[in-house]
Amino acid sequence: MLTDWAMLQQTQLNDLSGSNIECWRCTEMAFESADETNPVWRHPSVNAIQCAIVDALIDGRWRRFYTLAGDAPAADWGVVVGHAPAELEPVAADSTIYRNFLLSSLPCGAISSIYLDTDSCGMVGRIELQIGNDCVSLAASEVYDNGTGGFRIADYDESILVQLNNRIPGCG
């Protein structure tokens, strides 16, 4: 059942239509693996970048895409948008699984349309932003080691998976 809280999140995301994105940045998170001393950032079985947060400079203000659990008992994790600080918080010096960077391969310009993929409680599992001829997808998902040398993706989870035209940004 759609909750008022989930409906508010959908409205805030849909209200981005027509806005102008000037820049993207993120705090990327390595894929979960048994060996945390040797982080895995890319793997052929995953066609996305995994981030803890994704920020976009939208109409002159930094906005943050992140995940939160829904307020209904059956609700999953969903994509939400809020205000972001002017600067990314520094990654701890002893961290090996996080890194900050600009997502310069993502398109900038006017958001011409928005698509939301939601669950039965109204939580947004994925938002697709159409910018020119490109589609930026931000999904509430997380990458886990599958124990056989590859990785699996869990939907409606705590991280944000970023794709550009259904591929890893920056990979053609």
Side-chain angles (χ1 to χ4, degrees):
M1 178 170 112
L2 183 66
T3 67
D4 290 342
W5 188 85
M7 198 162 34
L8 174 63
Q9 304 314 311
Q10 289 182 25
T11 299
Q12 289 176 340
L13 290 165
N14 277 318
D15 284 350
L16 296 174
S17 185
S19 298
N20 188 58
I21 296 182
E22 303 166 45
C23 183
W24 296 88
R25 66 186 186 196
C26 74
T27 299
E28 186 178 11
M29 188 171 92
F31 302 157
E32 181 182 283
S33 68
D35 180 11
E36 288 191 19
T37 61
N38 189 19
V40 177
W41 302 97
R42 304 286 179 273
H43 190 272
S45 63
V46 180
N47 65 346
I49 293 173
Q50 178 172 258
C51 299
I53 54 100
V54 176
D55 292 347
L57 185 59
I58 302 174
D59 293 335
R61 294 184 326 164
W62 283 104
R63 304 297 305 270
R64 174 162 291 167
F65 296 93
Y66 58 104
T67 59
L68 281 178
D71 65 340
D76 295 313
W77 289 86
V79 178
V80 298
V81 65
H83 298 287
E87 300 289 328
L88 271 176
E89 297 83 356
V91 172
D94 62 347
S95 175
T96 59
I97 65 166
Y98 295 102
R99 61 186 182 186
N100 290 339
F101 66 90
L102 291 176
L103 288 166
S104 58
S105 60
L106 292 184
C108 294
I111 301 170
S112 59
S113 67
I114 291 177
Y115 168 77
L116 303 179
D117 184 16
T118 61
D119 69 4
S120 61
C121 294
M123 294 304 299
V124 176
R126 185 178 74 250
I127 178 173
E128 293 178 356
L129 306 168
Q130 189 68 38
I131 304 168
N133 293 325
D134 294 311
C135 179
V136 176
S137 173
L138 306 172
S141 303
E142 190 140 348
V143 179
Y144 293 97
D145 191 324
N146 69 9
T148 61
F151 293 88
R152 67 177 178 81
I153 295 173
D155 293 329
Y156 287 95
D157 212 324
E158 298 176 59
S159 297
I160 298 281
L161 295 190
V162 180
Q163 291 182 313
L164 174 60
N165 302 321
N166 296 314
R167 294 182 170 180
I168 298 172
C171 293

